[in-house]
PDB file of all heavy atoms in Angstrom:
ATOM      1  N   LEU B 367     -29.747 -12.311  13.138  1.00  0.00           N
ATOM      2  CA  LEU B 367     -29.112 -13.624  13.162  1.00  0.00           C
ATOM      3  C   LEU B 367     -27.944 -13.620  14.150  1.00  0.00           C
ATOM      4  O   LEU B 367     -26.997 -12.866  13.992  1.00  0.00           O
ATOM      5  CB  LEU B 367     -28.595 -13.923  11.751  1.00  0.00           C
ATOM      6  CG  LEU B 367     -28.718 -15.338  11.219  1.00  0.00           C
ATOM      7  CD1 LEU B 367     -30.180 -15.647  10.919  1.00  0.00           C
ATOM      8  CD2 LEU B 367     -27.896 -15.451   9.936  1.00  0.00           C
ATOM      9  N   GLY B 368     -28.022 -14.448  15.159  1.00  0.00           N
ATOM     10  CA  GLY B 368     -26.894 -14.591  16.081  1.00  0.00           C
ATOM     11  C   GLY B 368     -26.895 -13.620  17.247  1.00  0.00           C
ATOM     12  O   GLY B 368     -25.979 -13.646  18.053  1.00  0.00           O
ATOM     13  N   LEU B 369     -27.897 -12.747  17.323  1.00  0.00           N
ATOM     14  CA  LEU B 369     -27.979 -11.858  18.495  1.00  0.00           C
ATOM     15  C   LEU B 369     -28.903 -12.499  19.527  1.00  0.00           C
ATOM     16  O   LEU B 369     -29.957 -13.030  19.183  1.00  0.00           O
ATOM     17  CB  LEU B 369     -28.571 -10.509  18.092  1.00  0.00           C
ATOM     18  CG  LEU B 369     -27.649  -9.457  17.479  1.00  0.00           C
ATOM     19  CD1 LEU B 369     -28.446  -8.169  17.278  1.00  0.00           C
ATOM     20  CD2 LEU B 369     -26.440  -9.186  18.354  1.00  0.00           C
ATOM     21  N   ASP B 370     -28.503 -12.429  20.804  1.00  0.00           N
ATOM     22  CA  ASP B 370     -29.399 -12.978  21.814  1.00  0.00           C
ATOM     23  C   ASP B 370     -30.616 -12.051  21.965  1.00  0.00           C
ATOM     24  O   ASP B 370     -30.570 -10.896  21.566  1.00  0.00           O
ATOM     25  CB  ASP B 370     -28.660 -13.190  23.134  1.00  0.00           C
ATOM     26  CG  ASP B 370     -28.156 -11.898  23.720  1.00  0.00           C
ATOM     27  OD1 ASP B 370     -28.993 -11.029  24.059  1.00  0.00           O
ATOM     28  OD2 ASP B 370     -26.933 -11.727  23.837  1.00  0.00           O
ATOM     29  N   PRO B 371     -31.721 -12.575  22.520  1.00  0.00           N
ATOM     30  CA  PRO B 371     -32.981 -11.816  22.553  1.00  0.00           C
ATOM     31  C   PRO B 371     -32.847 -10.430  23.177  1.00  0.00           C
ATOM     32  O   PRO B 371     -33.439  -9.467  22.696  1.00  0.00           O
ATOM     33  CB  PRO B 371     -33.895 -12.698  23.408  1.00  0.00           C
ATOM     34  CG  PRO B 371     -33.346 -14.067  23.252  1.00  0.00           C
ATOM     35  CD  PRO B 371     -31.865 -13.915  23.079  1.00  0.00           C
ATOM     36  N   LEU B 372     -32.025 -10.334  24.221  1.00  0.00           N
ATOM     37  CA  LEU B 372     -31.856  -9.047  24.887  1.00  0.00           C
ATOM     38  C   LEU B 372     -31.211  -8.037  23.943  1.00  0.00           C
ATOM     39  O   LEU B 372     -31.630  -6.884  23.837  1.00  0.00           O
ATOM     40  CB  LEU B 372     -30.981  -9.251  26.131  1.00  0.00           C
ATOM     41  CG  LEU B 372     -31.042  -8.115  27.137  1.00  0.00           C
ATOM     42  CD1 LEU B 372     -32.363  -8.134  27.883  1.00  0.00           C
ATOM     43  CD2 LEU B 372     -29.869  -8.226  28.108  1.00  0.00           C
ATOM     44  N   MET B 373     -30.194  -8.490  23.252  1.00  0.00           N
ATOM     45  CA  MET B 373     -29.481  -7.621  22.323  1.00  0.00           C
ATOM     46  C   MET B 373     -30.338  -7.299  21.101  1.00  0.00           C
ATOM     47  O   MET B 373     -30.281  -6.209  20.560  1.00  0.00           O
ATOM     48  CB  MET B 373     -28.173  -8.283  21.878  1.00  0.00           C
ATOM     49  CG  MET B 373     -27.017  -7.993  22.807  1.00  0.00           C
ATOM     50  SD  MET B 373     -26.751  -6.204  22.969  1.00  0.00           S
ATOM     51  CE  MET B 373     -26.241  -6.129  24.675  1.00  0.00           C
ATOM     52  N   GLN B 374     -31.146  -8.298  20.701  1.00  0.00           N
ATOM     53  CA  GLN B 374     -32.066  -8.051  19.594  1.00  0.00           C
ATOM     54  C   GLN B 374     -32.972  -6.883  19.913  1.00  0.00           C
ATOM     55  O   GLN B 374     -33.180  -5.991  19.112  1.00  0.00           O
ATOM     56  CB  GLN B 374     -32.938  -9.292  19.377  1.00  0.00           C
ATOM     57  CG  GLN B 374     -32.470 -10.141  18.239  1.00  0.00           C
ATOM     58  CD  GLN B 374     -33.383 -11.324  18.008  1.00  0.00           C
ATOM     59  OE1 GLN B 374     -34.610 -11.188  18.027  1.00  0.00           O
ATOM     60  NE2 GLN B 374     -32.794 -12.477  17.802  1.00  0.00           N
ATOM     61  N   ARG B 375     -33.470  -6.916  21.112  1.00  0.00           N
ATOM     62  CA  ARG B 375     -34.399  -5.889  21.547  1.00  0.00           C
ATOM     63  C   ARG B 375     -33.716  -4.521  21.592  1.00  0.00           C
ATOM     64  O   ARG B 375     -34.253  -3.517  21.140  1.00  0.00           O
ATOM     65  CB  ARG B 375     -34.885  -6.261  22.930  1.00  0.00           C
ATOM     66  CG  ARG B 375     -36.011  -5.431  23.361  1.00  0.00           C
ATOM     67  CD  ARG B 375     -36.582  -6.068  24.561  1.00  0.00           C
ATOM     68  NE  ARG B 375     -37.494  -5.156  25.170  1.00  0.00           N
ATOM     69  CZ  ARG B 375     -38.404  -5.520  26.034  1.00  0.00           C
ATOM     70  NH1 ARG B 375     -38.489  -6.785  26.375  1.00  0.00           N
ATOM     71  NH2 ARG B 375     -39.210  -4.644  26.564  1.00  0.00           N
ATOM     72  N   ARG B 376     -32.513  -4.538  22.139  1.00  0.00           N
ATOM     73  CA  ARG B 376     -31.758  -3.293  22.222  1.00  0.00           C
ATOM     74  C   ARG B 376     -31.456  -2.758  20.817  1.00  0.00           C
ATOM     75  O   ARG B 376     -31.508  -1.566  20.553  1.00  0.00           O
ATOM     76  CB  ARG B 376     -30.457  -3.556  22.978  1.00  0.00           C
ATOM     77  CG  ARG B 376     -29.813  -2.291  23.447  1.00  0.00           C
ATOM     78  CD  ARG B 376     -28.732  -2.574  24.433  1.00  0.00           C
ATOM     79  NE  ARG B 376     -29.258  -2.938  25.741  1.00  0.00           N
ATOM     80  CZ  ARG B 376     -28.515  -2.961  26.835  1.00  0.00           C
ATOM     81  NH1 ARG B 376     -27.229  -2.654  26.772  1.00  0.00           N
ATOM     82  NH2 ARG B 376     -29.024  -3.290  27.991  1.00  0.00           N
ATOM     83  N   PHE B 377     -31.152  -3.701  19.931  1.00  0.00           N
ATOM     84  CA  PHE B 377     -30.864  -3.344  18.547  1.00  0.00           C
ATOM     85  C   PHE B 377     -32.093  -2.716  17.879  1.00  0.00           C
ATOM     86  O   PHE B 377     -32.018  -1.676  17.231  1.00  0.00           O
ATOM     87  CB  PHE B 377     -30.405  -4.597  17.791  1.00  0.00           C
ATOM     88  CG  PHE B 377     -30.329  -4.436  16.310  1.00  0.00           C
ATOM     89  CD1 PHE B 377     -29.393  -3.580  15.734  1.00  0.00           C
ATOM     90  CD2 PHE B 377     -31.188  -5.134  15.473  1.00  0.00           C
ATOM     91  CE1 PHE B 377     -29.318  -3.437  14.355  1.00  0.00           C
ATOM     92  CE2 PHE B 377     -31.120  -4.990  14.102  1.00  0.00           C
ATOM     93  CZ  PHE B 377     -30.179  -4.136  13.540  1.00  0.00           C
ATOM     94  N   PHE B 378     -33.257  -3.350  18.096  1.00  0.00           N
ATOM     95  CA  PHE B 378     -34.482  -2.798  17.519  1.00  0.00           C
ATOM     96  C   PHE B 378     -34.776  -1.415  18.077  1.00  0.00           C
ATOM     97  O   PHE B 378     -35.195  -0.527  17.336  1.00  0.00           O
ATOM     98  CB  PHE B 378     -35.673  -3.731  17.797  1.00  0.00           C
ATOM     99  CG  PHE B 378     -35.681  -4.935  16.921  1.00  0.00           C
ATOM    100  CD1 PHE B 378     -36.028  -6.170  17.426  1.00  0.00           C
ATOM    101  CD2 PHE B 378     -35.339  -4.831  15.569  1.00  0.00           C
ATOM    102  CE1 PHE B 378     -36.044  -7.294  16.608  1.00  0.00           C
ATOM    103  CE2 PHE B 378     -35.355  -5.949  14.754  1.00  0.00           C
ATOM    104  CZ  PHE B 378     -35.701  -7.184  15.278  1.00  0.00           C
ATOM    105  N   ASP B 379     -34.560  -1.241  19.375  1.00  0.00           N
ATOM    106  CA  ASP B 379     -34.768   0.080  19.976  1.00  0.00           C
ATOM    107  C   ASP B 379     -33.870   1.114  19.321  1.00  0.00           C
ATOM    108  O   ASP B 379     -34.282   2.239  19.032  1.00  0.00           O
ATOM    109  CB  ASP B 379     -34.471   0.033  21.486  1.00  0.00           C
ATOM    110  CG  ASP B 379     -35.575  -0.718  22.229  1.00  0.00           C
ATOM    111  OD1 ASP B 379     -36.639  -0.936  21.627  1.00  0.00           O
ATOM    112  OD2 ASP B 379     -35.351  -1.088  23.403  1.00  0.00           O
ATOM    113  N   LEU B 380     -32.625   0.697  19.084  1.00  0.00           N
ATOM    114  CA  LEU B 380     -31.650   1.594  18.462  1.00  0.00           C
ATOM    115  C   LEU B 380     -32.108   1.989  17.059  1.00  0.00           C
ATOM    116  O   LEU B 380     -32.081   3.165  16.681  1.00  0.00           O
ATOM    117  CB  LEU B 380     -30.291   0.883  18.415  1.00  0.00           C
ATOM    118  CG  LEU B 380     -29.095   1.658  17.865  1.00  0.00           C
ATOM    119  CD1 LEU B 380     -28.781   2.848  18.743  1.00  0.00           C
ATOM    120  CD2 LEU B 380     -27.877   0.748  17.774  1.00  0.00           C
ATOM    121  N   ILE B 381     -32.556   0.994  16.309  1.00  0.00           N
ATOM    122  CA  ILE B 381     -33.004   1.260  14.937  1.00  0.00           C
ATOM    123  C   ILE B 381     -34.229   2.180  14.955  1.00  0.00           C
ATOM    124  O   ILE B 381     -34.316   3.151  14.194  1.00  0.00           O
ATOM    125  CB  ILE B 381     -33.361  -0.073  14.214  1.00  0.00           C
ATOM    126  CG1 ILE B 381     -32.118  -0.964  14.092  1.00  0.00           C
ATOM    127  CG2 ILE B 381     -33.959   0.199  12.840  1.00  0.00           C
ATOM    128  CD1 ILE B 381     -30.953  -0.343  13.409  1.00  0.00           C
TER     129      ILE B 381
END
Side-chain angles (χ1 to χ4, degrees):
Chain B
L367 219 71
L369 277 185
D370 63 63
L372 197 74
M373 273 303 145
Q374 260 183 44
R375 191 168 168 162
R376 196 167 285 195
F377 169 67
F378 284 140
D379 287 346
L380 183 64
I381 297 304

